[in-house]
Amino acid sequence: MAEARQVTATQDRRFQTYQLDEAYDEMFAPDGRPRPQYLTLFNRLLELSPSELEARQQSADLSFLHQGVTFTVYSDARGTERIFPYDLLPRIIAAAEWETIERGLIQRITALNLFLHDIYHQGQILADKVVPREMVYSSKHYRREMRGLDVPHGVYVAITGTDLIRLTDGRFAVLEDNLRVPSGASYMLANRQVMKRIFPGLFSQYGVRPLEFYGQALQNTLAALSPVSSEETTIVLLSPGVYNSAYFEHTFLARQMGIPLVEGRDLAVHDNIVYMRTTAGLRRVNVIYRRIDDDFTDPLVFRRDSMLGVAGLFNAYRSGNITLANAIGTGVADDKAIYAYVPAIIRYYLGEDAILPNIETYQCGEPNERRYVLDNLASLVVKAVGESGGYGMLVGPHSTAEERATFRTLIEANPRNYIAQPTIHLSRAPCFLEGQVEARHVDLRPYILYGKRVTILPGGLTRVALRRGSLVVNSSQGGGSKDTWVLTR
Amino acid sequence: MNAMLSRVADSLYWMSRYLERADHIARQFDVHMTIVTEQAVDAARRRRRRLLTTLVGEEEYAEAENSDYHLSVLLTFDENNPNSIVNCIAAARENARQVREQINSQMWEQINQMYLAVRNQRMDELWSGQLHSFYHTINQEVYRFQGITDARITRDQGWHFVQIGRYLERASETADALNVDFRELYSNALEQDAVDQQTYLDWVGLLRGFAAYEAYSKVYTANVQPRHIVDFLLLNPYFPYSVHFGINRIQSSLQFIGEETETPKSARVYRLGGRLRAMLDYAQVDEIMDSGLGSYLLNIQNQCTQIHQLVYETYIAYSIEDKLKSMQ
């Protein structure tokens, strides 16, 4: 059996170290043969010599360096900019698979927007006890300042980047909803630009759905949420500035949309009207695509030490003179504890079952689920709901008996504060690494725009854990990205 | 009313200025190396001293004054010298980075590649036969950047702020070099306008430092005379490195920006430019030389500084409270 799972389609030495096991492989079916959508790429890989592939990789890297498609490494004293590692081989998604993802994402974002509107108004879903009231009110990202405030068209989350993973059975599932300030769209677009240059033939052979319209779609989305008519609306992108690690993305998107990139110091609020400082004097602003967190938007209302925001912005927002995208307070809906309730939220508002499943999540607050978690600590991942970035976490399979005992005590003392999930296998996709084609874990972040209607970019950012065996796709920890192709048929 | 962010105008202006400065330093040093090799030790040291005065400052730089190697390190790579080429290009790039969404991607890539190339250059390699090609390449690359800018950028306010940055820098560099060279070389001449073989090299160096020797010869033939040099580098309205040419360009850009923004104070800015322009339009070289070149050049530099300040007060660093008052 084990032998049958090897890549038998070729004796090619490039695939010698390609790892196939219980994780879903994007390129090869369990019998070791390429999946239909990967066949053309597979054959092309057999034709190209490793040195040709190497040359293309270098040409791609150089192109990123020259374009300055970089992120800033804070820990480095020289403030060095690094290129975001880029893998040469595209990740390919069949048309039918994408169709499911698309429907699932539309359903999910529609429900989450209704949920946000509800909890900042009547709170019907809380009264009906579908989501526990205290889960919402105790969330770090709940903003009571938003209560009773109406946002244009009820759209709280105009821009979403949802993290999907593929389960061992091939289904896509939601790992995380990023409803605050999702990033990465510029890398998706830059990857595509480079890919078209590096593999022009392959690209046109395949029939790949285009992404170019993202700038226009984003601009239209923001304009649709403006308090004034779209002809006279002034939209700006608010960036923390050149030292922010995502600054490249901010400039890239501003240019794609043809809107000014502003910093807090370029804006001023007077009589609840927001102005920007221009060579021709002060000019009124109607929509702000803000790339700073809630906490930093207005020092008068949120963090007082914020130098990035604009004093008086929130009052201008309350008076309806300015639209912020995303709205303030959306983070409550991508809270780890709320995540488990999203299928119930979808059912509550839309009367449908979730098309994209969640990762199974056990609420330690529920006695039955808690019992299961405590009995299976060695195989589960336990997370504290209030924490992020890997803190307050127990990874069962890698834990010691002592650590498990500590968590048992913690969970029993404060069960509501903990959730648990099974250890998940991210799917793997082929990557070109040091002359070999190797399998690496990937996820997928599609981008969803919600203005007058919902628009979903066909594709998204595929992040790759470039280190062998690693499940971490973050760029700060050896992660990279690759172009994602959604096929037209 | 057409508007651009004040901060963007600020960055475009400095991006352009710093790049012009890097170009200037590279050309000055490149020309210096072709001349200094033929000069006596004393004349060579004085020449280095003059370069240091215009390009770095009045302080003592003993090592650089005595050796071209140290001079090139100081002018090119020294991170403690705010006006080293590497710092100028880094500052230009930093400003370009602040307005990446405003300039086109080719401009950004060009400036970014220049930065990477200069930063990765090694000093020992430079002095093993690549000296001229290194500095020459910087000039070529700056021209290429300006070429991309001129070929592709919309002639809106942004372009005019780029022009003002470039020509204010150029005008003050030219005025500065004329001032320093004449102070030393001209007063030392026994008989006015007589050029001996020693100083001949320095006079030619002054022209070539502004890529002006060939253009000068077309007007005055190869007859190199201090008075003609002043006439050419200061008053010629058609030569792109002359002060007069630069002021003309500044004046028309100020006018464009004034009309475009309709800011009440705009008139004050371009009147200031107009006054300087008129001064140069009607100037006579003999009168200038008789009444003192030094004070004339100082006056020009002061007026350039005033223009810079007024541009900032009017378009970039104005007080928001005042603007709000005037809007009511």
Side-chain angles (χ1 to χ4, degrees):
Chain A
M1 184 63 198
E3 268 170 32
R5 293 182 67 101
Q6 290 303 311
V7 184
T8 50
T10 174
Q11 294 299 313
D12 197 282
R13 61 188 173 79
R14 267 164 292 191
F15 287 88
Q16 265 168 9
T17 51
Y18 200 93
Q19 185 186 4
L20 284 175
D21 53 29
E22 69 273 16
Y24 184 91
D25 191 86
E26 298 283 335
M27 188 178 203
F28 295 107
D31 63 6
R33 284 190 306 194
R35 299 181 189 277
Q37 73 267 30
Y38 272 95
L39 192 59
T40 311
L41 173 67
F42 181 69
N43 290 332
R44 188 86 183 92
L45 281 177
L46 296 182
E47 288 163 28
L48 286 167
S49 73
S51 62
E52 275 175 292
L53 281 170
E54 195 61 53
R56 284 173 204 232
Q57 178 77 52
Q58 278 169 8
S59 146
D61 286 350
L62 200 62
S63 168
F64 282 116
L65 183 66
H66 286 170
Q67 285 181 65
V69 185
T70 52
F71 64 96
T72 312
V73 185
Y74 290 118
S75 54
D76 192 319
R78 287 174 75 188
T80 308
E81 299 142 35
R82 296 248 179 87
I83 63 167
F84 194 36
Y86 170 76
D87 180 68
L88 207 52
L89 308 180
R91 192 255 187 97
I92 304 170
I93 297 175
E97 287 177 329
W98 182 254
E99 199 262 337
T100 309
I101 293 176
E102 206 166 44
R103 282 192 300 119
L105 291 174
I106 292 175
Q107 179 196 52
R108 197 167 173 104
I109 197 60
T110 307
L112 287 170
N113 266 299
L114 292 169
F115 173 68
L116 283 163
H117 184 270
D118 191 8
I119 60 166
Y120 286 122
H121 290 78
Q122 290 80 8
Q124 206 59 52
I125 196 167
L126 309 178
D128 290 341
K129 299 193 185 320
V130 175
V131 176
R133 201 176 286 273
E134 61 274 21
M135 281 287 179
V136 170
Y137 293 157
S138 65
S139 166
K140 203 164 76 178
H141 300 291
Y142 178 78
R143 299 275 175 257
R144 58 187 167 75
E145 295 84 353
M146 288 295 289
R147 293 200 63 159
L149 195 154
D150 287 315
V151 299
H153 307 297
V155 175
Y156 284 79
V157 188
I159 300 114
T160 312
T162 306
D163 288 340
L164 301 179
I165 59 169
R166 210 201 265 267
L167 306 171
T168 43
D169 62 6
R171 285 180 310 154
F172 281 93
V174 177
L175 183 64
E176 213 171 278
D177 300 287
N178 294 296
L179 307 175
R180 284 168 275 166
V181 190
S183 64
S186 62
Y187 296 113
M188 164 184 79
L189 298 171
N191 283 354
R192 176 58 57 83
Q193 280 174 9
V194 168
M195 185 54 107
K196 284 199 280 191
R197 236 182 283 164
I198 304 285
F199 279 121
L202 193 64
F203 193 84
S204 56
Q205 232 173 323
Y206 253 110
V208 179
R209 288 182 62 186
L211 299 170
E212 306 268 89
F213 64 95
Y214 184 72
Q216 195 190 353
L218 182 54
Q219 201 270 345
N220 288 346
T221 299
L222 296 168
L225 302 177
S226 175
V228 300
S229 80
S230 59
E231 296 83 59
E232 53 188 286
T233 199
T234 299
I235 307 170
V236 299
L237 185 153
L238 175 61
S239 165
V242 69
Y243 298 109
N244 185 267
S245 64
Y247 183 70
F248 161 76
E249 167 145 317
H250 305 161
T251 64
F252 185 94
L253 293 177
R255 184 165 51 201
Q256 293 280 319
M257 287 187 275
I259 64 170
L261 178 151
V262 302
E263 296 174 21
R265 58 190 162 122
D266 297 323
L267 299 179
V269 180
H270 183 74
D271 283 347
N272 288 338
I273 293 174
V274 183
Y275 297 97
M276 61 177 172
R277 178 201 283 267
T278 79
T279 55
L282 301 177
R283 183 164 172 176
R284 200 168 163 165
V285 176
N286 312 104
V287 181
I288 297 178
Y289 174 30
R290 48 122 180 174
R291 297 296 303 252
I292 60 180
D293 292 335
D294 286 359
D295 276 339
F296 295 97
T297 48
D298 184 345
L300 300 181
V301 182
F302 303 109
R303 274 180 66 156
R304 279 151 194 271
D305 59 344
S306 170
M307 305 289 284
L308 306 172
V310 190
L313 184 60
F314 193 78
N315 270 342
Y317 184 51
R318 275 207 83 96
S319 341
N321 289 332
I322 185 98
T323 299
L324 297 179
N326 293 339
I328 303 280
T330 54
V332 61
D334 68 17
D335 193 281
K336 278 197 187 72
I338 301 293
Y339 165 85
Y341 294 94
V342 175
I345 289 171
I346 292 173
R347 211 169 302 119
Y348 182 79
Y349 293 109
L350 306 177
E352 300 167 2
D353 286 334
I355 298 166
L356 293 172
N358 264 19
I359 306 299
E360 209 174 343
T361 301
Y362 305 98
Q363 298 279 349
C364 297
E366 304 285 331
N368 286 336
E369 302 192 5
R370 177 168 67 241
R371 204 165 310 123
Y372 177 83
V373 171
L374 292 175
D375 289 345
N376 292 281
L377 278 177
S379 64
L380 295 171
V381 176
V382 181
K383 296 172 181 172
V385 296
E387 309 277 350
S388 64
Y391 295 101
M393 216 166 105
L394 175 82
V395 182
H398 299 159
S399 64
T400 63
E402 198 182 333
E403 284 168 341
R404 288 195 292 276
T406 312
F407 262 80
R408 179 179 300 277
T409 323
L410 285 170
I411 293 169
E412 280 166 347
N414 187 6
R416 276 193 190 284
N417 194 38
Y418 291 92
I419 59 152
Q421 292 174 333
T423 318
I424 35 176
H425 297 278
L426 302 186
S427 64
R428 289 202 195 92
C431 296
F432 179 69
L433 294 163
E434 292 158 22
Q436 297 271 339
V437 179
E438 299 216 14
R440 288 290 184 271
H441 290 295
V442 294
D443 74 351
L444 174 65
R445 178 179 286 184
Y447 293 93
I448 309 155
L449 300 175
Y450 194 165
K452 269 205 185 69
R453 68 188 80 81
V454 181
T455 309
I456 297 181
L457 272 286
L461 186 69
T462 290
R463 296 186 299 174
V464 193
L466 289 171
R467 286 184 204 144
R468 180 171 259 268
S470 168
L471 288 166
V472 184
V473 294
N474 297 67
S475 55
S476 54
Q477 302 188 46
S481 73
K482 49 167 65 219
D483 193 16
T484 310
W485 293 3
V486 172
L487 304 184
T488 48
R489 67 196 138 69
Chain B
M1 177 186 91
N2 276 301
M4 75 185 299
L5 276 185
S6 300
R7 185 175 50 79
V8 169
D10 180 36
S11 291
L12 290 173
Y13 172 85
W14 281 110
M15 171 192 78
S16 173
R17 251 196 115 139
Y18 274 120
L19 218 48
E20 186 66 30
R21 195 171 296 173
D23 177 60
H24 177 65
I25 300 165
R27 190 178 313 93
Q28 290 288 326
F29 186 76
D30 194 24
V31 168
H32 166 77
M33 286 308 293
T34 65
I35 289 171
V36 77
T37 42
E38 296 184 51
Q39 283 187 318
V41 177
D42 242 26
R45 188 178 298 124
R46 282 202 302 276
R47 170 156 244 296
R48 287 188 206 103
R49 179 64 258 164
R50 291 200 303 277
L51 266 190
L52 286 165
T53 308
T54 55
L55 301 181
V56 190
E58 302 278 356
E59 302 86 33
E60 281 290 317
Y61 297 96
E63 273 187 324
E65 215 173 300
N66 288 314
S67 121
D68 289 314
Y69 179 87
H70 287 110
L71 181 63
S72 80
V73 174
L74 179 65
L75 292 182
T76 314
F77 300 103
D78 194 332
E79 295 202 350
N80 297 320
N81 168 16
N83 289 323
S84 65
I85 291 176
V86 95
N87 278 341
C88 287
I89 291 179
R93 175 176 178 270
E94 204 52 32
N95 278 286
R97 208 149 83 91
Q98 305 250 10
V99 291
R100 263 184 79 167
E101 86 289 2
Q102 296 287 327
I103 60 179
N104 62 56
S105 17
Q106 253 194 319
M107 285 166 75
W108 163 255
E109 284 186 32
Q110 171 66 14
I111 208 167
N112 193 33
Q113 286 184 44
M114 264 167 71
Y115 167 76
L116 296 173
V118 172
R119 212 189 47 174
N120 294 335
Q121 176 67 45
R122 282 177 34 212
M123 203 59 202
D124 49 344
E125 281 173 7
L126 195 64
W127 279 82
S128 57
Q130 294 174 14
L131 203 59
H132 168 69
S133 82
F134 174 75
Y135 291 101
H136 185 66
T137 305
I138 291 175
N139 292 138
Q140 297 287 324
E141 294 299 312
V142 172
Y143 282 151
R144 205 169 136 192
F145 178 83
Q146 291 172 345
I148 296 168
T149 309
D150 289 355
R152 293 202 34 188
I153 213 172
T154 308
R155 296 305 195 258
D156 58 9
Q157 281 182 61
W159 190 75
H160 287 281
F161 276 104
V162 167
Q163 301 302 303
I164 293 174
R166 181 194 296 175
Y167 286 107
L168 266 181
E169 180 67 23
R170 227 181 242 190
S172 42
E173 279 160 359
T174 310
D176 203 23
L178 277 172
N179 195 8
V180 170
D181 278 12
F182 268 77
R183 204 163 55 199
E184 189 170 300
L185 303 170
Y186 193 68
S187 55
N188 289 348
L190 289 174
E191 194 183 325
Q192 274 186 8
D193 296 351
V195 170
D196 61 45
Q197 281 184 4
Q198 267 306 313
T199 50
Y200 177 83
L201 278 175
D202 281 323
W203 292 119
V204 170
L206 177 58
L207 283 167
R208 291 193 22 217
F210 295 96
Y213 183 69
E214 289 174 19
Y216 171 93
S217 303
K218 280 195 188 139
V219 182
Y220 301 102
T221 70
N223 177 20
V224 173
Q225 296 223 356
R227 215 164 268 252
H228 290 166
I229 294 177
V230 173
D231 199 27
F232 193 70
L233 288 183
L234 185 59
L235 301 178
N236 189 305
Y238 308 116
F239 180 65
Y241 282 88
S242 85
V243 176
H244 192 183
F245 183 94
I247 299 300
N248 287 355
R249 298 297 287 261
I250 291 165
Q251 160 70 359
S252 41
S253 286
L254 289 176
Q255 191 164 348
F256 180 95
I257 294 166
E259 285 164 6
E260 194 74 352
T261 55
E262 298 167 18
T263 302
K265 280 184 184 166
S266 289
R268 272 172 58 204
V269 194
Y270 68 78
R271 270 204 302 276
L272 201 61
R275 189 177 71 186
L276 181 52
R277 179 179 184 159
M279 183 180 120
L280 289 161
D281 277 342
Y282 299 108
Q284 295 293 325
V285 68
D286 290 333
E287 281 177 23
I288 294 171
M289 298 307 279
D290 292 347
S291 63
L293 178 65
S295 59
Y296 192 85
L297 292 168
L298 197 63
N299 182 14
I300 288 174
Q301 281 173 311
N302 287 339
Q303 291 199 44
C304 285
T305 309
Q306 276 177 38
I307 290 171
H308 167 91
Q309 281 166 351
L310 209 51
V311 164
Y312 267 69
E313 279 169 30
T314 311
Y315 302 113
I316 296 171
Y318 54 79
S319 130
I320 288 185
E321 288 69 29
D322 292 351
K323 279 286 170 195
L324 283 168
K325 261 180 237 151
S326 69
M327 283 166 70
Q328 280 155 6

